[in-house]
Amino acid sequence: MSDSTGERARLRCYTELPVWVVEDHQEVLPFIYRAIGSKHLPDGNISFVHFDSHPDLLIPVNMPADTVFDKETLFGELSIENWIMPAVYAGHFSHVIWLHPTWAQQISEGKHHFLVGKDTSTTTIRVTSTDHYFLSDGLYVTEDQLENQKPLQLDVITVKPYKLCNHQEENDAVSSEGLEEDAVAQRRVQTCLEPSCSHSSESQGCQTAVNTGEILGILKKGDAFVLDIDLDFFSVKNPFKEMFTQEEYTILQELYQFKKPGTNLTEEELVDCVDTRIHQLEDLEATFADLCDGDDEETVQKWASNPGMESLVPLVQSLKKRMDVPDYEMVHQAGLTCDYSELPHHISTEQEIESLIQSVYYLLKNLPKPTLVTIARSSLDDYCPSEQVDTIQEKVLNVLRSLYGTLDVHLVYSAESSPS
C-alpha cells in the first residue's frame, strides 16, 4: 500500500461510533457511501468485515456495470443478495472478510483472490472466481473478457459458538448483558475461527489456521474498515421452506439444480459450464413469466415438454390446489436459491445465540475500532426469526457498547428514527 498512513491521517473522525440499523441488508450501502462522501471513509481500499449467514456476494445479473457511478440509480437496483460486489467494482472495497456460522457453507473456506470487472460483451459486472457460488449464478468470465478490473481478496472464515468450541465451564461464561475482560478466553477465541483450505482454482496458497492476528494483519493493509452484521448470523430461517410443501420444494430443487463441474477444468470448459447454466436459468425465467400470464393446462404442458421440465406439471397442480392464483414470480425466486446447496436454515436456541454473541465479542476485542457499523435485521423477509430479532439486536448493541463506549445509534427501520 502506497500512502496508507497519510490516507488515514486525512480522514475525519466521528465523535461517537455511528451504528446504522436497517431492515433489508442492501439498505446499509447508502450510509457507507455517505461516510465516503463526508471523508470519514476513504474512497478506496476499505476492508469490509461481514458477519452473516449469507455471503451477499452475487451481482445484479443484467445491471450495466456503469450503474455503480450513479449511486441513486444503483441503490434502486440492489437486493439483499447482491449489494456488496457493486461497491467492489466501484473501487471502494478491496477486501471482504465473510465471517459465517457453521451452518452456512455457500463459499469454499479460505482465501480467494480474483478480479471483478466489466464484461466487454455484456457491459455487466462479472468475476473471474471459479467457486460454485459464482458459477451457479452464471457470473464467471475469463480475465481477458474483463475491463476496468478490480482485484478482490475474499476471506471466508467459520465462527464457532464460543462455549462449544472452548468446552468452557459454565461459571466461565461471559454474559452479553455485561461483558467483562477475560484474558484466557480472549486468547482462546482463535480456536473459534476455523477456515480450511479453499479448493478454488483462484486461491493462492492455503492457510491451515486463521486467527484474529491474521485478520488484524489483513485490516492493517486497508485504510479503514467497516463492521457489518446481519442478525441472521445468530439465527436463520429459509423462508421458502414455509412457503412451499416438501414435495414442491423438492421439485424446485430438481428444476433449478446446478450440476457442479469437475475439478481442474480448462477456461473453455468453465465458459461452457456457465453458458449452459445461463440458458437453463433463462428458460426457467421464461417459463414462470409465461405462467404469470396464464397457467392453463396447454401452457403448462408446452413448457413441461422441454427436457428436464417434466416435473413442472405436478408442481403447478400442487400450487393450484393450495392457492387460487399462485405467485409464479415468487416460485422462480425460490427456485433460484435451489442450485448446488439449500439456503441455510438453523433456528438457534437462546444458548446458541449467547455463545455466538460471545464469539463475536472476543473476536472484535482483538481488532481495531471500525469507522462505522452497519446492522441488518432481515426479519420482515423471515430470514432472522421475528420472535428473536429484537433480543439479538439488543445483545449485539450491548457488545458494541462494551467494546467501543457510547454509540451513535440510528434505528433506520423504525418510523420514529428515519434518517434525515
Side-chain angles (χ1 to χ4, degrees), residues 14 17-22 28 31-32 41 48-49 225-229 364 369-376 396-397 400 404 407-410:
Y14 292 110
L17 179 66
V19 179
W20 299 94
V21 188
V22 304
V28 306
F31 300 107
I32 295 171
L41 282 173
F48 191 68
V49 177
F225 96 88
V226 173
L227 172 60
D228 175 73
I229 302 172
L364 294 178
K369 184 178 180 180
T371 300
L372 77 159
V373 179
T374 52
I375 296 175
V396 169
L397 290 174
L400 297 177
Y404 308 124
L407 307 174
D408 181 18
V409 179
H410 303 262

Side-chain angles (χ1 to χ4, degrees), residues 67-291:
T67 305
V68 303
F69 304 116
D70 177 357
K71 64 182 181 181
E72 295 309 322
T73 304
L74 172 66
F75 298 155
E77 292 281 339
L78 302 179
S79 300
I80 56 173
E81 77 281 1
N82 62 23
W83 57 277
I84 296 174
M85 282 299 204
V88 174
Y89 177 70
H92 302 311
F93 298 160
S94 60
H95 199 121
V96 174
I97 303 174
W98 178 39
L99 293 150
H100 62 93
T102 54
W103 53 76
Q105 302 290 336
Q106 297 93 314
I107 301 180
S108 305
E109 292 290 299
K111 293 183 179 299
H112 301 250
H113 297 267
F114 56 92
L115 299 173
V116 181
K118 181 200 284 190
D119 182 348
T120 53
S121 64
T122 63
T123 73
T124 55
I125 301 172
R126 292 294 184 264
V127 301
T128 59
S129 173
T130 58
D131 192 272
H132 293 143
Y133 178 80
F134 299 106
L135 292 177
S136 67
D137 230 50
L139 299 176
Y140 165 83
V141 298
T142 57
E143 183 176 340
D144 59 9
Q145 203 171 322
L146 285 183
E147 62 182 15
N148 195 24
Q149 300 173 354
K150 301 291 166 53
L152 175 66
Q153 181 176 331
L154 166 65
D155 281 81
V156 179
I157 302 172
T158 301
V159 179
K160 286 186 175 181
Y162 175 76
K163 278 199 269 188
L164 296 182
C165 72
N166 287 321
H167 307 293
Q168 257 186 301
E169 297 296 326
E170 190 64 34
N171 59 8
D172 286 337
V174 182
S175 169
S176 62
E177 302 304 318
L179 291 156
E180 299 173 357
E181 290 273 351
D182 184 340
V184 174
Q186 189 176 338
R187 289 194 298 272
R188 284 180 184 163
V189 71
Q190 63 192 43
T191 66
C192 295
L193 309 175
E194 189 181 64
S196 57
C197 180
S198 168
H199 299 291
S200 304
S201 63
E202 77 274 5
S203 294
Q204 298 173 0
C206 176
Q207 303 299 317
T208 56
V210 172
N211 54 36
T212 49
E214 182 162 349
I215 296 175
L216 183 60
I218 291 166
L219 296 181
K220 284 180 177 176
K221 295 177 184 175
D223 291 326
F225 96 88
V226 173
L227 172 60
D228 175 73
I229 302 172
D230 194 318
L231 300 185
D232 75 15
F233 170 86
F234 301 94
S235 184
V236 67
K237 292 167 67 176
N238 176 351
F240 297 115
K241 284 203 161 184
E242 294 181 355
M243 291 183 195
F244 302 100
T245 67
Q246 183 58 54
E247 179 194 9
E248 291 163 357
Y249 196 75
T250 300
I251 292 173
L252 284 175
Q253 289 176 312
E254 293 171 1
L255 288 172
Y256 285 82
Q257 179 186 12
F258 172 66
K259 292 175 182 173
K260 290 182 179 182
T263 55
N264 302 319
L265 296 186
T266 64
E267 282 191 350
E268 186 177 351
E269 289 170 327
L270 286 166
V271 169
D272 286 345
C273 167
V274 168
D275 284 346
T276 300
R277 179 61 172 171
I278 289 171
H279 288 133
Q280 177 191 3
L281 295 178
E282 287 175 345
D283 289 346
L284 286 162
E285 182 178 16
T287 299
F288 287 104
D290 200 16
L291 292 177

Side-chain angles (χ1 to χ4, degrees), residues 103 161 163-164 233-236 346-357 385 387-388 391-392 395:
W103 53 76
K163 278 199 269 188
L164 296 182
F233 170 86
F234 301 94
S235 184
V236 67
H346 181 95
I347 300 175
S348 299
T349 64
E350 288 183 24
Q351 182 58 60
E352 286 176 315
I353 291 170
E354 185 63 41
S355 296
L356 280 171
I357 286 284
E387 67 277 11
Q388 294 180 325
T391 300
I392 294 172
K395 286 176 179 290

Side-chain angles (χ1 to χ4, degrees), residues 307-323:
M309 295 283 281
E310 300 82 5
S311 55
L312 186 66
V313 174
L315 174 63
V316 172
Q317 288 173 343
S318 178
L319 291 169
K320 291 175 79 169
K321 279 180 189 172
R322 294 196 302 109
M323 52 192 85

Side-chain angles (χ1 to χ4, degrees), residues 53-71:
S53 278
H54 310 90
D56 298 349
L57 291 169
L58 295 177
I59 296 165
V61 175
N62 298 313
M63 184 187 80
D66 289 350
T67 305
V68 303
F69 304 116
D70 177 357
K71 64 182 181 181

Side-chain angles (χ1 to χ4, degrees), residues 8-48:
R8 290 174 187 152
R10 288 190 288 270
L11 294 174
R12 298 172 62 195
C13 293
Y14 292 110
T15 307
E16 296 173 347
L17 179 66
V19 179
W20 299 94
V21 188
V22 304
E23 182 56 51
D24 295 335
H25 212 154
Q26 78 275 14
E27 295 169 351
V28 306
L29 198 60
F31 300 107
I32 295 171
Y33 273 53
R34 182 184 294 185
I36 294 172
S38 64
K39 307 297 184 186
H40 290 90
L41 282 173
D43 187 56
N45 201 29
I46 299 170
S47 298
F48 191 68

